[in-house]
């Protein structure tokens, strides 16, 4: 009897739920990509569409893994991935992410550092589109759906926001060409995504913001995203000027104005989300 009770306590402990959830989702994500890639290599589809299908398969796999895992562990319906208001959350998120990234590029353009070299076929956006939605789904499930949500249950919204945003920033410091400024920018983005989740209590809103931010940056404006290599894009562009404005080799998201715009959006969302804040367990 005591052994069963101890096992239940361990399995339901917050840190255990976080670690196991991340491990299970990560393993399923990697395995589903590898299996899908091997199967798709046998088809006549070109590389772009193979990558698109692989991204869809791995994203669906990690979504259903998260839902199934926490439904069993926490014995509840997984409301944070509910699709009841999917269209509304996705459209609003895409709008927010698109506006924020467009404003960031606009500042670079006003300083004379954004030059369009060519306009390419729409098919050039397939790869960045695939990368953007796959990364957004995977990272938001791990960072907001697991780390933030479970931490918030015990420590409250404020501490959970700080912890999850800090982890989000630290993880991205490992990216190529990262700087302290780019790290700060990603931390602020982490706060934005966290507050977006608090506002709707649904992951599709921060997923959509995250997707639109990355897709507009790399797929439309042809810039580097998070220090990674450039992909094909709708626009072939050239960015030049002060790295504080352009973000340098890390990309526009590592710029001063990106920090400012994301911080403003975070504050505005926070102000209308205050009724949804959760107190730490010792204040309940």
């Amino acid at each position: 009897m005591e052994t069963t009770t101890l096992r239940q306590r361990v399995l339901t402990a917050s840190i255990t739920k976080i670690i196991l959830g991340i491990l299970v989702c990560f393993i399923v994500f990697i395995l589903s990509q590898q299996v899908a890639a091997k199967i798709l290599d046998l088809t006549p589809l070109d590389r772009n569409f193979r990558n698109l299908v692989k991204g869809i398969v791995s994203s669906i796999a990690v979504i259903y893994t998260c839902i199934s895992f926490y439904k069993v562990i926490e014995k509840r319906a997984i409301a944070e991935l509910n699709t009841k208001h999917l269209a509304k959350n996705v459209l609003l998120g895409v709008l927010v992410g698109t506006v924020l990234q467009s404003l960031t590029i606009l500042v670079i353009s006003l300083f004379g550092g954004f030059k369009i070299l060519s306009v390419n076929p729409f098919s050039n956006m397939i790869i960045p589109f695939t990368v953007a939605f796959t990364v957004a789904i995977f990272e938001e499930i791990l960072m907001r759906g697991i780390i933030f949500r479970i931490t918030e249950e015990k420590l409250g919204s404020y501490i959970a926001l700080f912890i999850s945003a800090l982890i989000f920033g630290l993880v991205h410091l490992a990216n190529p060409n990262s700087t302290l400024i780019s790290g700060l920018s990603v931390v602020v983005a982490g706060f934005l995504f966290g507050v977006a989740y608090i506002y709707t209590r649904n992951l599709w809103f921060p997923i959509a913001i995250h997707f639109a931010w990355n897709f507009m940056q790399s797929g439309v404006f042809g810039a580097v995203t998070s220090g990674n290599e450039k992909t094909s894009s709708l626009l072939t562009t050239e960015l030049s000027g002060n790295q504080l404005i352009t973000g340098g080799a890390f990309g526009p998201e590592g710029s001063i104005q990106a920090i400012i715009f994301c911080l403003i959006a975070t504050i505005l969302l926070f102000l209308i989300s205050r009724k949804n804040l959760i107190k730490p367990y010792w204040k309940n």
Side-chain angles (χ1 to χ4, degrees), residues 139-197:
E139 290 188 355
E140 290 311 306
I141 283 179
L142 263 56
M143 291 293 168
R144 259 56 65 178
I146 297 177
I147 295 175
F148 172 77
R149 179 185 61 78
I150 296 174
T151 303
E152 185 188 35
E153 290 175 355
K154 291 293 184 182
L155 304 181
S157 300
Y158 291 111
I159 296 176
L161 276 172
F162 179 80
I163 290 174
S164 60
L166 185 61
I167 292 173
F168 192 56
L170 289 173
V171 168
H172 282 77
L173 276 179
N175 283 25
N177 305 306
S178 63
T179 64
L180 288 177
I181 294 295
S182 69
L184 177 60
S185 179
V186 177
V187 168
V188 173
F191 276 105
L192 172 61
F193 300 146
V195 173
Y197 172 72

Side-chain angles (χ1 to χ4, degrees), residues 48 120-131 215 218-221 231-235:
N48 285 354
N120 305 309
F122 283 97
S123 59
N124 276 31
M125 295 190 290
I126 294 176
I127 289 179
F129 176 84
T130 303
V131 172
F215 176 64
S218 59
V220 176
F221 295 124
T231 64
S232 57
S233 56
L234 180 64
L235 304 176

Side-chain angles (χ1 to χ4, degrees), residues 40-41 43-53 123 126:
L40 288 166
D41 283 343
T43 70
L45 293 172
D46 66 29
R47 186 170 67 93
N48 285 354
F49 283 100
R50 287 203 304 270
N51 285 331
L52 177 61
V53 174
S123 59
I126 294 176

Side-chain angles (χ1 to χ4, degrees), residues 31-42:
L31 287 178
S32 61
Q33 283 198 322
Q34 292 178 346
V35 172
K38 289 185 179 297
I39 294 173
L40 288 166
D41 283 343
L42 303 175

Side-chain angles (χ1 to χ4, degrees), residues 50-109:
R50 287 203 304 270
N51 285 331
L52 177 61
V53 174
K54 184 173 70 174
I56 292 172
V57 169
S58 59
S59 296
I60 292 174
V62 78
I63 289 169
Y64 277 95
T65 298
C66 181
I67 291 173
S68 301
F69 180 79
Y70 285 106
K71 186 178 289 185
V72 171
I73 293 295
E74 299 179 338
K75 295 179 174 60
R76 66 179 182 88
I78 310 304
E80 60 271 21
L81 282 167
N82 191 299
T83 57
K84 185 177 181 181
H85 301 292
L86 180 63
K88 176 184 175 182
N89 288 328
V90 168
L91 288 174
L92 182 59
V94 167
L95 177 62
V96 172
T98 298
V99 169
L100 290 174
Q101 184 59 237
S102 298
L103 288 172
T104 299
I105 296 296
L106 176 61
V107 171
I108 299 174
S109 182

